Amino acid sequence: MAYQDHLLTWVVMVPSMMLPTTVPHVRYVGFGTRAGRVQRSILLFVLGYLTSWLVPGLLLAAVPLPASASVLAVSALAAGAWEMTPVKRRALLRCCRTWPVRYAGPAADASAVEYGMRHALGCMVISGPAMAVLMLAGHPWWAVVALAVVMAAQKLLTRPQRWRALVALAWLAAGLAAAGVAAFG
Amino acid sequence: MLTSELFAGDDLLERIAADGPERISRFLNDTDPAVGKVQQALLLWNPAILPFHGADGTYGSETAAAVVQFKTLELQVPPDQLFDDVGPRTVRRLDEIAKAAEPPPEPPQEQGFVRQDVYQLQPPGAPVHPILAAYAVAVRELKRDAGPPHRTWAHHTQVHGMNPDPGDGLRNQCQHFCWYFLPWHRMYLHAFEAICRAIIVESPDVDDDTKATWALPYWDYDRDDTRELPPAFREPALDGAPNPLFEPARDLGINSPVQFRGEPAPRLARLVPEQTTAQGWFLSTPYSNPFDPAFAGTETGFNHASAPNAVPGPLEITPHGSVHVFVGGRFGKMSDFNQAAGDPIFWLHHANLDRLWEVWRGSTGLGLDPSGSRFIDRTFDFLDASGQRIQPSCGSVLNLANLGYSYADTSIPASAGAGGPMDDPNRGPQPPRERRRPPRRVGAADEPVRLQGDAATVEFATDTPQTRGNERFLVSVEHISADDLPNAEWGVYLQPTSGEPVLIGTLPLFGLRESRRTDAEHELSYQFDITELVNRLDAEGRWDPDRFRATLAPVNAVPEDAEPDPDVVIGTIALLIQ
């Protein structure tokens, strides 16, 4: 696949996988702004959100894909380790945090973009490493679906930080499997 | 004074025990009813000691020989001083044996316990009431922190809040800013009360009447004569020992008088009516809504602020948050989720909130209990009086009769401004309300509002419809952040086109510390329903539909020695229509 194809896949994959947990924020922005400019604010929120995600996408799309089994093994183990960091725990707890939305005018435009970027940054801290592994694996559809379910559950379930160990173990298993393929496959 | 059920109240035995001259022997009082009691007590000491006649009520040779044996073996009386009669030492020791043989007192059945007003139990100047003394006994025992978890003060404090979360599903479980706030705290108090009662029933320092009736009191602070912390909680000493109900980590003026700014003499801190009024919560319906707080907070998942729509209900703001911050101040326990339940007044404060929920359920909220499975089947974990883990559901705690307690007074508070249909005892269940759509903003401040000095103002244009229907008006005060709690509680006042500003609500900021932590889920946000106020001002020609004006000002006095006020910033103030 060419660079632009990988980038396009990234841009489609990210919002699709993040949709369930982003909808409440889209609604918050929509109901927080003047009636006549709801679509405009939502569009600006999405723009800020996708632009933020585009930055790591630009870098990852430059990597030859799919990556080798050893690279996958290392990245999966790194994603597992990331699950157990305090940074990830804090990000999960802050996942539902809202930001002030201005009512009208340029301030409303700026606040919608800023909200989208702040929310994207939080999502990247939570899901960025997992999304990177998925990209390096060549984004196989079954893995995309499985990871989307895990990430949505992690954000939406009660006390999400409690499920981190389980997710980390799953990454460990995936990393060891990839390492096995690298060594013996 | 004889204490066993067998001997107590028997005149002859009481006189002998009091070193009187009378005796029981083969020649004196040998058929008195007391003889049968002595024989029963001897049989408790040694079941084989009266093999032929048993407790026949006659003081014959067998009973005389048994008494001699008792005196020899139990009382160690030398042979040269032995007589076969019943004297004071024999009666007193047999009384002790009979008392020890009595089955332990049964914990009273959990039926009909009545939670009473702490100020009715002990008005200022009155001695400590037995119900409060018994509560002190339970708190003292818990504060030893020496027993199993459910018998420790630390555990009960941590059930409310603990950082970091131990992840055991029992601690750090408090529910705020959501519709589980009221049922979770009801379960919490019920479990705590049962544990206190078990301790009280075991205590030799509590009388039987108190043991049989003890229930957690409540603090009804919405009256002019009850606005100071109840006296029993202010005294550092109780009966010559440290008072377990006293907590030094409270705000200035709570435990002892201090000088307030601009006032002539020192005094105790007093809640002001704005901090205790029922105006905000009493008329609010339904119980909850998905997108606005209604009576009890927005419908969310577990825990405070776990969703973008998380907002507390009006009862959770005032008086709940207001009283927490009033007692705790900037540095006290009551202002902190993780320490609040460590102040013994916490439990009386929440008993009152639980009572106010009952007031609402019996009047404005009649027939409006939530019925969906997300609420009814939601369970939370606690430890019961035996230390076993229990999982009551929200549905199981709606009806107080199922929990075995009631409140001495569930009349509508005067501050509710009720009168008319709400006071009608024959008023039937309310029809179910339709699920509302999210409220929409019709105007908002275009920059943050800073609370500094004596007052702040906010004003913005609104897009409210020119023709009025049955809209609901809400004022949303969102994304409040601060370096610390302010010294005073700020009120939000609507400024009509003419006349004095009218109170919309207060901003107690309970939970501010938690909202400032790096893993905080949210900044603080409040919503106030001002529909009734807008309708009234509109009818009086004092409502401007095109412009919203509000003033923010402290509602209570500040002690002279208070720390400088921190910077408090409100991210947005908006007017919403539904």
Side-chain angles (χ1 to χ4, degrees):
Chain A
M1 286 175 81
Y3 177 84
Q4 60 270 28
D5 295 331
H6 285 307
L7 193 59
L8 182 64
T9 309
W10 175 263
V11 170
V12 172
M13 189 173 67
V14 165
S16 307
M17 294 180 69
M18 299 293 160
L19 195 62
T21 53
T22 304
V23 165
H25 295 274
V26 171
R27 189 165 55 197
Y28 187 86
V29 171
F31 279 100
T33 196
R34 193 175 197 157
R37 49 161 298 140
V38 172
Q39 290 81 2
R40 178 188 174 100
S41 281
I42 290 176
L43 192 66
L44 289 168
F45 170 87
V46 172
L47 195 67
Y49 188 79
L50 289 181
T51 305
S52 302
W53 271 104
L54 198 60
V55 175
L58 288 169
L59 299 174
L60 281 168
V63 178
L65 300 177
S68 67
S70 53
V71 170
L72 277 178
V74 170
S75 58
L77 291 172
W82 180 250
E83 285 292 327
M84 300 309 294
T85 61
V87 178
K88 163 94 188 207
R89 177 179 167 277
R90 282 199 291 269
L92 270 175
L93 284 169
R94 294 165 67 106
C95 171
C96 295
R97 190 176 189 129
T98 57
W99 305 94
V101 178
R102 299 290 163 220
Y103 183 65
D109 291 344
S111 68
V113 173
E114 184 184 347
Y115 194 142
M117 295 177 84
R118 282 179 180 272
H119 184 58
L121 190 63
C123 288
M124 273 189 261
V125 174
I126 294 172
S127 312
M131 299 295 281
V133 177
L134 208 56
M135 186 77 168
L136 292 171
H139 32 78
W141 69 267
W142 58 268
V144 170
V145 171
L147 197 61
V149 170
V150 168
M151 288 192 304
Q154 214 179 13
K155 289 179 181 176
L156 298 175
L157 284 177
T158 295
R159 309 241 102 178
Q161 70 276 17
R162 290 188 188 163
W163 302 94
R164 290 185 305 146
L166 206 59
V167 178
L169 279 176
W171 278 120
L172 179 64
L176 291 176
V181 170
F184 307 109
Chain B
M1 183 72 176
L2 301 172
T3 57
S4 69
E5 285 183 12
L6 185 61
F7 280 15
D10 186 291
D11 289 342
L12 177 58
L13 293 173
E14 292 278 5
R15 288 197 297 274
I16 296 172
D19 292 315
E22 294 174 82
R23 294 289 183 271
I24 299 173
S25 70
R26 280 182 289 173
F27 313 106
L28 291 169
N29 302 311
D30 58 336
T31 56
D32 189 277
V35 174
K37 297 174 184 176
V38 169
Q39 290 169 329
Q40 288 178 50
L42 286 167
L43 287 168
L44 290 171
W45 176 65
N46 179 356
I49 203 166
L50 300 170
F52 300 108
H53 301 288
D56 62 357
T58 303
Y59 200 94
S61 57
E62 185 180 68
T63 302
V67 168
V68 168
Q69 191 180 347
F70 178 80
K71 287 182 172 180
T72 304
L73 298 177
E74 183 67 22
L75 302 180
Q76 308 286 318
V77 177
D80 58 334
Q81 297 175 22
L82 268 175
F83 297 96
D84 64 356
D85 62 354
V86 175
R89 285 182 63 200
T90 304
V91 170
R92 289 198 288 262
R93 181 63 192 135
L94 283 172
D95 179 59
E96 290 171 3
I97 290 168
K99 177 72 179 173
E102 286 171 9
E106 289 279 332
Q109 290 291 310
E110 265 200 53
Q111 290 293 329
F113 292 113
V114 180
R115 293 182 179 173
Q116 300 178 75
D117 183 341
V118 65
Y119 266 94
Q120 298 284 339
L121 292 173
Q122 188 194 342
V128 175
H129 190 277
I131 294 286
L132 289 167
Y135 180 46
V137 165
V139 173
R140 180 180 288 122
E141 171 61 22
L142 289 168
K143 282 185 171 179
R144 287 175 57 235
D145 282 334
H150 70 291
R151 291 274 192 144
T152 65
W153 194 247
H155 172 79
H156 292 291
T157 306
Q158 291 166 354
V159 166
H160 194 265
M162 188 177 183
N163 187 37
D165 187 341
D168 59 10
L170 278 170
R171 292 172 290 173
N172 199 37
Q173 300 293 299
C174 67
Q175 304 292 307
H176 292 101
F177 312 136
C178 73
W179 63 336
Y180 297 130
F181 166 72
L182 288 167
W184 185 86
H185 282 85
R186 176 168 284 182
M187 298 172 198
Y188 185 32
L189 260 68
H190 192 240
F192 174 79
E193 183 182 51
I195 290 165
C196 286
R197 185 175 295 127
I199 294 171
I200 288 166
V201 165
E202 293 167 5
S203 171
D205 300 328
V206 180
D207 65 81
D208 289 344
D209 282 349
T210 305
K211 287 178 180 178
T213 60
W214 187 86
L216 198 60
Y218 63 87
W219 176 21
D220 176 8
Y221 22 66
D222 195 17
R223 302 197 311 262
D224 282 345
D225 57 346
T226 61
R227 297 187 179 281
E228 296 166 350
L229 190 75
F233 293 78
R234 282 186 242 140
E235 300 299 329
L238 178 67
D239 295 334
N243 179 6
L245 305 183
F246 178 77
E247 171 53 60
R250 291 176 179 146
D251 199 12
L252 295 170
I254 298 295
N255 287 329
S256 54
V258 295
Q259 183 67 48
F260 284 83
R261 290 176 190 166
E263 296 190 7
R267 63 170 173 87
L268 282 169
R270 289 170 56 81
L271 285 155
V272 294
E274 289 89 339
Q275 294 172 297
T276 61
T277 179
Q279 272 184 347
W281 59 265
F282 181 71
L283 290 176
S284 295
T285 59
Y287 178 86
S288 63
N289 261 334
F291 301 106
D292 67 274
F295 168 71
T298 41
E299 298 170 10
T300 70
F302 181 92
N303 209 266
H304 33 273
S306 61
N309 63 329
V311 184
L315 180 63
E316 190 182 340
I317 301 172
T318 301
H320 167 252
S322 301
V323 173
H324 264 285
V325 174
F326 166 77
V327 176
R330 198 185 291 185
F331 305 105
K333 288 184 176 176
M334 276 284 275
S335 301
D336 188 322
F337 282 9
N338 296 341
Q339 300 182 66
D343 187 328
I345 197 63
F346 169 93
W347 305 93
L348 277 71
H349 172 35
H350 271 277
N352 189 51
L353 296 164
D354 190 60
R355 182 183 73 91
L356 296 178
W357 183 16
E358 280 306 290
V359 172
W360 183 85
R361 287 185 73 237
S363 52
T364 328
L366 197 64
L368 296 181
D369 284 339
S371 55
S373 61
R374 275 181 65 213
F375 182 90
I376 294 295
D377 299 333
R378 186 73 173 86
T379 60
F380 296 100
D381 290 23
F382 295 91
L383 296 180
D384 69 7
S386 63
Q388 298 296 308
R389 195 167 179 135
I390 53 171
Q391 285 191 319
S393 67
C394 292
S396 72
V397 299
L398 285 173
N399 190 347
L400 285 193
N402 297 337
L403 300 175
Y405 71 87
S406 60
Y407 286 98
D409 182 6
T410 51
S411 59
I412 297 169
S415 66
M422 294 304 170
D423 287 339
D424 181 359
N426 299 317
R427 183 171 172 263
Q430 298 301 290
R433 311 298 166 95
E434 66 179 74
R435 307 280 282 183
R436 295 172 175 138
R437 286 174 54 78
R440 166 166 295 288
R441 283 187 194 188
V442 291
D446 54 10
E447 57 185 26
V449 179
R450 290 186 183 279
L451 302 186
Q452 283 179 316
D454 293 335
T457 57
V458 60
E459 182 172 353
F460 51 82
T462 59
D463 299 319
T464 50
Q466 293 302 309
T467 53
R468 293 287 311 282
N470 59 347
E471 301 93 351
R472 228 172 133 225
F473 288 83
L474 299 158
V475 171
S476 187
V477 182
E478 299 173 9
H479 299 101
I480 306 171
S481 60
D483 300 329
D484 210 332
L485 283 166
N487 290 313
E489 183 170 335
W490 285 70
V492 185
Y493 298 84
L494 181 66
Q495 180 64 61
T497 53
S498 63
E500 292 295 308
V502 187
L503 182 73
I504 292 174
T506 63
L507 309 174
L509 307 190
F510 179 53
L512 182 77
R513 281 183 197 165
E514 289 69 24
S515 76
R516 293 180 60 244
R517 286 204 302 255
T518 52
D519 58 355
E521 294 151 347
H522 256 283
E523 290 159 327
L524 294 179
S525 295
Y526 299 111
Q527 279 187 10
F528 304 100
D529 189 331
I530 60 164
T531 310
E532 298 292 326
L533 178 58
V534 170
N535 288 342
R536 179 159 62 84
L537 293 176
D538 197 26
E540 295 168 0
R542 298 197 293 145
W543 166 247
D544 183 352
D546 299 323
R547 202 136 192 96
F548 179 87
R549 298 181 192 84
T551 308
L552 295 98
V555 298
N556 54 337
V558 175
E560 268 192 359
D561 294 338
E563 301 281 324
D565 261 317
D567 217 13
V568 181
V569 179
I570 297 171
T572 315
I573 295 183
L575 180 66
L576 292 79
I577 281 189
Q578 193 175 36

